[in-house]
């Protein structure tokens, strides 16, 4: 299956360190060779890079690893194709506009029995079950709240409802963000870490690289990193429970119920 990487912060932060280890899993330390993508929210804008080549050898990925784009919300994905051919149209993350904001989505898992009738406002461009699920989610919440984005508790309840329905069709680990809130749903495997003061050094699992975050941060910084599996071997990552939908804002999960 694919792998997910996300970041939510209280100040604009670059993801170069985590992305370095994540990229290695796209053909070097793991076999997710069927494309990759990453999206950076910057204000109301969203900078997105996609490639249908392996991330470990992609020149575009090399550029991203070396270019410290700062963002408060980032979603990245490396693909192992199961449904849909290898191609840019099937590379995650996917992006759509809703309520005057960009929404970005990436999925890990298979939804073999999911049916999409192509009658909604949002329609998939590629052939993946992932993009179909994304369109179903946006169509649902657009119908529930036609006048604009509701309070986060209401939006969370609606997303939880459509997520549970889609998850009945298979494995539905996903990351979703509109640049203001960051949603992470675990179906089988997803974890996160919140880095805040006092900061320490972290060492990647997939590359022999260590970064001392104390040298790069201030005492008020807070960064949440979400991934399919932990990216470092000297930090304690929190495993998200199967069936749990978390909402992150300002680098930490919000308390909105289970």
């Amino acid at each position: 299956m694919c792998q997910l990487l996300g970041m939510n912060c209280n100040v604009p932060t670059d993801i170069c360190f985590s992305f370095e280890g994540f990229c290695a899993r796209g053909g070097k330390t793991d076999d997710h060779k069927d494309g990759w993508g990453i999206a950076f929210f910057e204000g109301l804008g969203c900078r997105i890079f996609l490639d249908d080549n392996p991330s470990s050898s992609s020149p575009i990925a090399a550029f991203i690893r070396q270019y410290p784009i700062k963002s408060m919300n980032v979603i990245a994905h490396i693909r192992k194709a199961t449904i849909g051919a290898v191609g840019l149209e099937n590379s995650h993350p996917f992006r759509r506009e809703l309520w005057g904001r960009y929404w970005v989505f990436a999925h890990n898992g298979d939804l073999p029995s999911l049916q999409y009738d192509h009658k909604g406002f949002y329609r998939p461009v590629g052939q993946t079950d992932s993009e179909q699920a994304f369109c179903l989610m946006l169509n649902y919440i657009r119908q529930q709240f036609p006048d604009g984005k509701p309070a986060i508790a209401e939006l969370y309840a609606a997303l939880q409802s459509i997520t549970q329905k889609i998850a009945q069709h298979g494995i539905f680990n996903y990351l979703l963000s509109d640049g203001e809130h960051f949603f992470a749903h675990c179906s089988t495997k997803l974890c996160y870490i919140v880095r805040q003061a006092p900061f320490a050094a972290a060492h990647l699992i997939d590359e022999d690289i260590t970064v001392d975050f104390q040298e790069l941060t201030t005492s008020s910084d807070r960064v949440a990193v979400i991934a399919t599996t932990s990216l470092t071997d000297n930090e304690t990552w929190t495993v998200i429970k199967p069936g749990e939908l978390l909402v992150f804002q300002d680098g930490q999960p919000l308390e909105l119920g289970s």
Side-chain angles (χ1 to χ4, degrees):
M1 290 188 206
C2 309
Q3 289 214 9
L4 303 169
L5 170 64
M7 183 180 73
N8 170 263
C9 321
N10 67 343
V11 294
T13 305
D14 75 68
I15 199 172
C16 294
F17 174 70
S18 296
F19 190 63
E20 186 81 39
F22 187 67
C23 274
R25 298 179 178 182
K28 182 178 179 181
T29 61
D30 213 330
D31 59 353
H32 304 82
K33 302 178 181 179
D34 300 324
W36 66 276
I38 188 167
F40 301 86
F41 284 93
E42 297 175 67
L44 290 176
C46 181
R47 196 188 308 234
I48 189 165
F49 300 86
L50 299 171
D51 193 357
D52 53 6
N53 293 303
S55 59
S56 62
S57 57
S58 165
I60 303 173
F63 166 73
I64 298 299
R65 293 199 301 271
Q66 297 167 12
Y67 181 35
I69 299 173
K70 293 185 181 294
S71 173
M72 293 173 65
N73 290 281
V74 178
I75 292 179
H77 181 274
I78 48 176
R79 185 173 184 233
K80 185 175 181 180
T82 53
I83 298 175
V86 176
L88 284 179
E89 73 275 17
N90 292 323
S91 297
H92 310 216
F94 303 104
R95 177 176 60 180
R96 297 290 192 279
E97 178 274 333
L98 172 63
W99 304 320
R101 300 186 70 97
Y102 286 119
W103 286 75
V104 171
F105 171 87
H107 166 228
N108 164 28
D110 290 323
L111 303 164
S113 62
L114 184 67
Q115 299 293 322
Y116 187 79
D117 60 14
H118 296 273
K119 295 180 181 179
F121 180 85
Y122 297 100
R123 302 185 184 187
V125 175
Q127 302 81 46
T128 65
D129 51 349
S130 305
E131 191 181 14
Q132 291 176 18
F134 181 36
C135 291
L136 283 170
M137 293 172 71
L138 291 187
N139 282 330
Y140 179 80
I141 60 175
R142 187 173 187 265
Q143 291 169 0
Q144 296 297 307
F145 310 107
D147 297 325
K149 186 176 179 179
I152 185 57
E154 295 178 80
L155 178 58
Y156 174 84
L159 280 173
Q160 191 174 48
S161 177
I162 187 62
T163 294
Q164 290 173 350
K165 291 178 182 178
I166 294 174
Q168 295 175 3
H169 297 278
I171 298 174
F172 197 40
N173 304 296
Y174 73 73
L175 303 179
L176 170 73
S177 181
D178 68 339
E180 181 180 15
H181 295 96
F182 192 109
F183 302 87
H185 178 258
C186 177
S187 181
T188 56
K189 188 182 293 185
L190 204 60
C191 61
Y192 72 92
I193 188 168
V194 174
R195 296 189 179 115
Q196 57 190 345
F199 290 95
H203 179 263
L204 290 174
I205 293 173
D206 298 272
E207 297 282 6
D208 188 16
I209 298 174
T210 299
V211 166
D212 187 351
F213 288 108
Q214 189 172 7
E215 299 177 352
L216 305 172
T217 56
T218 69
S219 59
S220 60
D221 292 356
R222 186 170 56 241
V223 178
V225 178
I226 305 97
T228 300
T229 60
S230 58
L231 294 167
T232 57
D233 54 16
N234 64 335
E235 297 179 294
T236 301
W237 290 67
T238 299
V239 175
I240 302 176
K241 299 176 184 177
E244 190 172 14
L245 174 64
L246 296 183
V247 188
F248 292 83
Q249 189 175 33
D250 296 327
Q252 63 184 349
L254 301 179
E255 296 292 336
L256 293 173
S258 57

